Amino acid sequence: MWRWLLFAAIVVALFFMAAMYPVFMSTESKPGKNVRFPVPAATEGPQPRAEVTPADLTYDFGVLSVQEKAKHGWVLKNAGEGPLKVMKGTSSCSCTIASLPDGQKELVLKPGESTPIELAWETKEAVGPFSKNATILTSDLDHEEIKFFINGTVRPPVIVLPESVIGFDDFPSISTPKKEFVIYSPDKADLEITEIATSRPDFLKIKPNKLTQEDLESLMKMEQTTSKAQDKVRFKSLSGVRFELSIKPGMPIGPFKEDIQLTTNHPKHPNVHIVVIGRSVGPISFSPGSVTMPHVSGMKGGKTIVNVFARGAADVHFEATHVPAPLKVEFVKVDDRANPQGKASRYNLVVTVPPDSKAQSIRDETIEFKTDHPEAPLIILPCYVVIEAR
Amino acid sequence: MPRYPLRLAPALALGFGLVLGAFCGCGNRGTGSPAGSKDAVGNPPPTASLPAPEGEKLFRNWKTPQAAVIFSGELSGYLEPCGCTQGQLGGLGRRYDLSERLRKQGWSLAQVDLGGVVHEPAVSRGGIKQAQTMFSVALRAFSAMKYDALAPSAEDFKLGVGEVIGQYLNLTDHPAVVCSNLKGTGGAELAGVKESLRVQAGKVRLGVTAAVDPDEIKKIPDAADWLEAAAPESALAKTLKDLEKDTDIQILLVQGGHEFAKKLATSLPGFDVVQERSIFADPAAEPEWLNGGKTLLFNVGKKGKYVGVVGVFDDPGAPLKFQRVSLGGRYQNAEPMRKLIDEEYQAELKDMKLVENFKQRNPLQAAPEAKFIGAKACQTCHPNTYALWQTTKHAQAFNALTANPKRNRVHDAECISCHATGFEIVSGYRSQELTPHLLGNQCENCHGPGSRHAEAPDDKSFREFLVKTVKNPQAGGLCIKCHDEDNSPKFDFSTFYPKIIHVKRDTYEDPKVHQGIKLDPAPAQPTAPGE
């Protein structure tokens, strides 16, 4: 008899637990639970009122350097008639409520009382614009959440102009293209480059020159127009070096990415790293430099276009000698664009996957052409095509 | 009164349990609060609410909109949440989850993307080939999510204009690439790009177009071979006039800086919604209202961490509302995206042999002809330093890529660049099979290739190179190359550096240490066809 009663009780308990499991384990906010505001807003009695000065909750630090600490403060006052509860919410920087001692979660401001709020940020080594915020939670119904923002831009102590990636447009491998760049520091009066290293000393030639007076004035003017008033005090010294970067003839044909490292005497920025990218081309160049179609519908087919540029010839005849099945190729002349070096012509190479093609992967393959260009009788184009069964 | 047999008790209990289960189990397990409940301050929940963790209450005071548009953009290559640490925002999987949840709630949705799928592809960690593949994966993700419109961008064209146009041409139905002021050379229509698009979202007809900053397009190396970007004002005026004929809301996506976007928004007040690019990684929660409150101008930040949702309402006083949505842990990594990124994308990278055939370049500061030899070789003469290194996470860096078999990243150059030794440098890491001695973050990642020093340990000039490369590591940017804000948000040099510093741990009295070691030759250079 008692066994049956016990069995009944167990059955009821199991059913209850199974039914309530989703409710217990749910990570979603539950009805009635205020996950957003752990400070319940005051709904009865004298009302608090949160007032912040200055009223602008966003502060722009302007330009900061690396490894620099910056902070800005506001004052939060209870301008109402009831007590104002205050708590720290989430933040992406350091946020201090001065009157909230460490370890204490909640502060209560009586009517008329105030507390400083300070946001601080340490820039470390990351450069570029930053925007950080901190949230204060209050029991003021109209200001349950007050979000403060601090913005700014971190600049490296040594700057490369126009930028630290120097890109060369496609150039014939027999030519000697050149670019110029400037390295300067807005806060060091005697910046020097003590060493220059490159990953391609056989082809990259880097020649330093002194900044001219005109360079200096132009940089100073740029600094003054882009910096805020407080920056002008900080960035009052300026010095730098101008460089000429040239590529010697014979750079191997194809894309390249090489490094330049300049060692400086700036204690906060001893190494300046510059990347040089570009493509050395032969008499006939392709853009893009390969046929890549990684995701083509076998049922519908697909196509891609490669731009072909032929230097030194007004009209080039192409004959395909190897085309992996089932691809089809066609050259379409675009125009006879003249260029300063002589004759040139452009074509679109249209590569098509016909509809109803079998699913397959064409990799480690090439498309090859014979041409009647005197300097480029044979062209080989890498090819990577994946035809899918859809 | 009859007494019921006790054996009926279990049957009654069973029946009671079933009734109890039906009552408790059929509550609202979906998103949002059950109807009729209130939050702690007595406000009824919005009828179109989503779970509100992380302190952000979404769609507050929104009724179900007539239509909603999800705006995204500036993915900057982050198919997944920024970096490989926990707690990061973003990812296409979460974006997919958000859109599915809204659809399940009965919202009529449209989705548009500003472009900027990649960022500086030529100098990205994985190189341009990976960036091109990543672009293709992102487009497939947009198709799977049924994105309606995508704007082209100068940043994406850095992949190669021809490459990008080729990929646009292979898009099926979704998304349409739209731009009002981009044409082919000679003013011809640009293949794969439409001037504008009409989208029906519920009962609302949306007109979408985009504009790019011509100055940015001019800077793209091969742009002149493919396209022309006209001044946008006149092209947009014409497109806007056309869209206003038969659409209720006109949307403009602007690929240009803030001033450029604001100028267009104020000079063409017919556009109701204007999305611009962002200066900061995290966007403002509130948009800007221009033209006397008629035009909504906003951005969604960078790296795909956020999206913006614009709701269209049948309310003359407030026809449009904006909600910034952070893509945090409340959203799941939706399975279709997980499969696309974890499986298909990685399989393509493996198939291409991207890492193995990555173009290598010479080391910057190294002894002439120096090669990478691996930490095991260094152990021969520096056993105590090696022992310390083995205790650090640097030694486990490669294992971190293989720890989760469902997220194996050994074929991903972006990951290998920091989790192996000497990647991209001549004689450096190429694959587990070819360079098994270069797994993890070893000595030579900081000190440079050490073969010349290992062969002639007493040659001071060779030693000098190894010392120079680690001089002033904080200011020299040595650590931050890998411990950047995305991948190592809590990195603090003064805390972490003492864990790995290894000055004077070994002594060198043993004459064998000064003899040098004979090393095996490194594997041959990659020989795959170039790009």
Side-chain angles (χ1 to χ4, degrees):
Chain A
M1 171 179 72
W2 292 109
R3 279 181 296 182
W4 288 112
L5 282 171
L6 184 60
F7 179 64
I10 291 170
V11 165
V12 169
L14 281 173
F15 266 102
F16 180 77
M17 282 163 57
M20 293 307 289
Y21 180 85
V23 177
F24 288 140
M25 298 307 289
S26 170
T27 56
E28 298 169 357
S29 58
K30 298 181 177 52
K33 182 171 175 178
N34 187 349
V35 294
R36 185 176 183 225
F37 302 117
V39 183
T43 51
E44 291 172 1
Q47 295 296 301
R49 188 161 66 84
E51 196 176 82
V52 177
T53 47
D56 190 351
L57 302 183
T58 298
Y59 182 74
D60 187 352
F61 285 110
V63 173
L64 297 174
S65 186
V66 294
Q67 295 168 36
E68 191 172 340
K69 289 180 184 166
K71 49 189 177 184
H72 186 73
W74 291 261
V75 174
L76 171 66
K77 182 181 174 182
N78 181 5
E81 292 167 357
L84 179 73
K85 294 181 189 172
V86 180
M87 269 183 74
K88 271 204 267 189
T90 55
S91 68
S92 55
C93 60
S94 164
C95 174
T96 313
I97 302 174
S99 307
L100 187 65
D102 283 342
Q104 198 172 307
K105 281 191 178 174
E106 191 177 279
L107 168 72
V108 178
L109 292 175
K110 292 180 191 156
E113 278 187 348
S114 60
T115 179
I117 307 265
E118 185 182 85
L119 261 60
W121 176 243
E122 189 176 350
T123 60
K124 297 188 184 172
E125 281 79 42
V127 298
F130 71 87
S131 174
K132 302 292 169 186
N133 62 80
T135 307
I136 302 291
L137 308 173
T138 82
S139 57
D140 176 355
L141 253 176
D142 292 326
H143 300 98
E144 289 174 307
E145 209 181 61
I146 303 174
K147 244 188 167 98
F148 299 88
F149 291 86
I150 49 173
N151 302 332
T153 302
V154 181
R155 275 204 312 190
V158 178
I159 296 162
V160 183
L161 284 181
E163 55 179 333
S164 58
V165 177
I166 299 176
F168 283 84
D169 294 350
D170 287 0
F171 59 91
S173 64
I174 55 172
S175 66
T176 313
K178 288 187 174 74
K179 290 264 180 179
E180 287 199 339
F181 62 94
V182 166
I183 306 276
Y184 80 97
S185 174
D187 64 3
K188 188 167 174 52
D190 57 349
L191 183 74
E192 282 176 18
I193 307 298
T194 56
E195 197 176 331
I196 300 172
T198 162
S199 57
R200 204 73 214 239
D202 48 345
F203 283 105
L204 298 185
K205 193 175 157 197
I206 301 149
K207 190 176 145 203
N209 295 304
K210 272 185 110 164
L211 278 183
T212 62
Q213 190 57 35
E214 195 185 325
D215 284 334
L216 284 168
E217 283 167 10
S218 167
L219 286 172
M220 192 62 86
K221 194 175 168 187
M222 187 185 72
E223 285 291 320
Q224 282 169 355
T225 50
T226 55
S227 304
K228 287 176 69 169
Q230 65 262 27
D231 303 332
K232 289 177 193 169
V233 174
R234 191 187 302 126
F235 299 121
K236 57 183 177 187
S237 312
L238 195 151
S239 61
V241 185
R242 178 178 276 282
F243 289 91
E244 182 188 89
L245 167 64
S246 57
I247 300 180
K248 292 180 187 170
M251 186 73 165
I253 288 176
F256 62 85
K257 176 183 166 190
E258 303 292 346
D259 300 304
I260 297 173
Q261 183 160 292
L262 307 171
T263 307
T264 79
N265 63 346
H266 198 302
K268 281 188 177 179
H269 205 88
N271 296 328
V272 176
H273 183 225
I274 293 170
V275 178
V276 183
I277 56 174
R279 198 163 72 136
S280 162
V281 297
I284 297 182
S285 60
F286 294 82
S287 172
S290 61
V291 173
T292 307
M293 302 166 75
H295 183 70
V296 182
S297 160
M299 270 173 45
K300 294 182 184 176
K303 69 175 178 180
T304 191
I305 298 175
V306 176
N307 193 289
V308 185
F309 192 67
R311 294 169 186 77
D315 201 359
V316 178
H317 175 71
F318 296 87
E319 182 190 330
T321 54
H322 174 70
V323 180
L327 305 180
K328 305 268 181 260
V329 298
E330 185 193 1
F331 275 91
V332 176
K333 193 168 182 186
V334 177
D335 62 45
D336 291 315
R337 186 184 298 183
N339 68 24
Q341 285 80 38
K343 293 179 202 165
S345 49
R346 286 196 312 126
Y347 308 84
N348 280 342
L349 165 61
V350 183
V351 181
T352 308
V353 172
D356 300 320
S357 294
K358 199 177 78 167
Q360 58 188 286
S361 181
I362 303 169
R363 53 183 167 84
D364 293 335
E365 265 283 10
T366 53
I367 300 176
E368 298 175 19
F369 306 93
K370 275 197 310 196
T371 86
D372 58 1
H373 192 297
E375 290 172 55
L378 179 66
I379 298 294
I380 300 174
L381 204 56
C383 176
Y384 174 74
V385 178
V386 177
I387 303 171
E388 296 176 342
R390 59 177 172 90
Chain B
M1 186 182 293
R3 282 178 63 192
Y4 290 100
L6 284 172
R7 274 173 230 177
L8 281 179
L12 289 170
L14 195 64
F16 177 69
L18 284 169
V19 168
L20 188 65
F23 177 72
C24 296
C26 294
N28 184 359
R29 290 194 192 113
T31 59
S33 309
S37 65
K38 293 181 182 179
D39 64 19
V41 293
N43 295 322
T47 55
S49 64
L50 280 178
E54 296 165 353
E56 189 179 21
K57 201 168 202 171
L58 298 175
F59 308 111
R60 204 177 180 194
N61 301 325
W62 283 37
K63 293 182 183 171
T64 302
Q66 289 184 305
V69 186
I70 298 181
F71 289 83
S72 56
E74 297 189 86
L75 190 64
S76 308
Y78 290 89
L79 304 179
E80 299 177 282
C82 305
C84 44
T85 54
Q86 298 297 318
Q88 301 280 37
L89 299 178
L92 293 175
R94 288 175 179 162
R95 199 190 287 187
Y96 186 105
D97 188 32
L98 165 68
S99 62
E100 287 298 294
R101 288 189 191 202
L102 290 176
R103 286 201 169 95
K104 277 183 187 151
Q105 289 193 168
W107 287 30
S108 300
L109 270 195
Q111 293 188 101
V112 301
D113 192 274
L114 182 61
V117 174
V118 297
H119 179 67
E120 294 292 354
V123 295
S124 59
R125 282 193 204 272
I128 196 155
K129 260 259 173 273
Q130 176 156 9
Q132 289 168 345
T133 309
M134 182 194 294
F135 185 73
S136 152
V137 170
L139 293 189
R140 277 140 62 187
F142 292 156
S143 284
M145 285 190 263
K146 300 209 179 357
Y147 260 77
D148 296 284
L150 168 68
S153 74
E155 207 59 39
D156 291 336
F157 282 135
K158 288 178 184 175
L159 291 167
V161 177
E163 169 75 31
V164 170
I165 289 178
Q167 295 215 28
Y168 287 163
L169 283 172
N170 282 308
L171 283 167
T172 45
D173 304 323
H174 298 268
V177 181
V178 295
C179 190
S180 179
N181 67 324
L182 260 191
K183 299 281 178 220
T185 50
E189 194 175 304
L190 182 59
V193 179
K194 297 182 187 181
E195 234 175 57
S196 63
L197 178 75
R198 284 151 171 83
V199 181
Q200 189 77 35
K203 292 181 183 170
V204 179
R205 291 163 302 173
L206 307 165
V208 187
T209 188
V212 295
D213 185 340
D215 290 337
E216 292 181 3
I217 296 295
K218 276 181 201 155
K219 290 179 187 168
I220 305 300
D222 58 343
D225 292 337
W226 290 92
L227 40 82
E228 295 172 359
E233 289 83 357
S234 51
L236 280 173
K238 184 166 161 276
T239 305
L240 175 62
K241 196 173 169 186
D242 182 52
L243 288 175
E244 280 175 328
K245 287 181 203 161
D246 57 357
T247 60
D248 305 304
I249 302 287
Q250 292 81 46
I251 296 171
L252 172 61
L253 310 174
V254 181
Q255 264 293 343
H258 174 67
E259 291 307 319
F260 179 79
K262 199 165 175 179
K263 193 174 160 205
L264 289 177
T266 46
S267 63
L268 295 159
F271 282 108
D272 303 290
V273 180
V274 179
Q275 182 186 3
E276 61 171 356
R277 278 208 311 249
S278 170
I279 300 170
F280 302 110
D282 299 296
E286 299 302 326
E288 207 176 329
W289 288 94
L290 306 175
N291 302 324
K294 197 210 158 280
T295 305
L296 177 59
L297 174 68
F298 65 93
N299 66 74
V300 297
K302 295 183 188 300
K303 302 180 184 175
K305 299 200 285 182
Y306 298 81
V307 295
V309 181
V310 173
V312 182
F313 297 86
D314 183 17
D315 177 356
L320 298 174
K321 285 186 184 172
F322 175 83
Q323 171 71 64
R324 180 192 70 173
V325 179
S326 64
L327 296 175
R330 62 177 167 248
Y331 300 110
Q332 307 301 315
N333 186 14
E335 178 57 21
M337 293 297 106
R338 187 213 62 79
K339 189 161 183 274
L340 175 64
I341 296 168
D342 284 348
E343 293 178 21
E344 293 173 31
Y345 175 42
Q346 295 302 316
E348 279 172 41
L349 297 179
K350 181 181 177 185
D351 212 34
M352 288 162 63
K353 296 185 183 172
L354 177 86
V355 168
E356 188 176 321
N357 292 333
F358 204 93
K359 195 172 165 91
Q360 295 182 326
R361 58 188 187 279
N362 295 321
L364 261 177
Q365 288 182 329
E369 311 291 323
K371 306 250 182 306
F372 287 91
I373 54 174
K376 212 69 178 108
C378 308
Q379 183 192 24
T380 310
C381 305
H382 304 277
N384 296 328
T385 304
Y386 179 87
L388 173 67
W389 169 78
Q390 274 202 307
T391 67
T392 67
K393 284 192 177 173
H394 284 166
Q396 304 307 318
F398 193 86
N399 295 340
L401 297 183
T402 57
N404 183 348
K406 288 189 178 177
R407 286 177 56 83
N408 189 311
R409 292 287 192 265
V410 298
H411 303 288
D412 190 324
E414 285 203 335
C415 306
I416 286 290
S417 64
C418 283
H419 286 256
T421 298
F423 181 63
E424 285 191 84
I425 306 298
V426 169
S427 78
Y429 179 85
R430 284 178 56 203
S431 70
Q432 280 175 275
E433 293 74 27
L434 290 171
T435 50
H437 57 300
L438 296 178
L439 311 186
N441 186 24
Q442 299 180 12
C443 325
E444 292 165 294
N445 257 357
C446 298
H447 288 283
S451 64
R452 301 305 302 274
H453 166 64
E455 287 164 346
D458 288 341
D459 187 319
K460 285 187 181 169
S461 66
F462 297 158
R463 282 215 298 256
E464 186 53 32
F465 281 111
L466 302 182
V467 169
K468 205 195 256 185
T469 45
V470 294
K471 206 171 155 189
N472 204 348
Q474 183 178 16
L478 186 62
C479 310
I480 203 170
K481 269 194 287 195
C482 291
H483 290 278
D484 58 19
E485 210 179 23
D486 287 336
N487 293 294
S488 206
K490 293 181 182 162
F491 179 75
D492 175 58
F493 183 86
S494 55
T495 306
F496 284 75
Y497 189 61
K499 296 183 182 185
I500 58 127
I501 196 166
H502 45 274
V503 177
K504 293 183 179 164
R505 290 189 75 88
D506 294 290
T507 57
Y508 307 105
E509 284 102 20
D510 185 349
K512 282 187 195 163
V513 160
H514 297 273
Q515 286 168 9
I517 50 180
K518 198 168 166 9
L519 300 158
D520 294 330
Q525 291 282 299
T527 54
E531 293 178 43

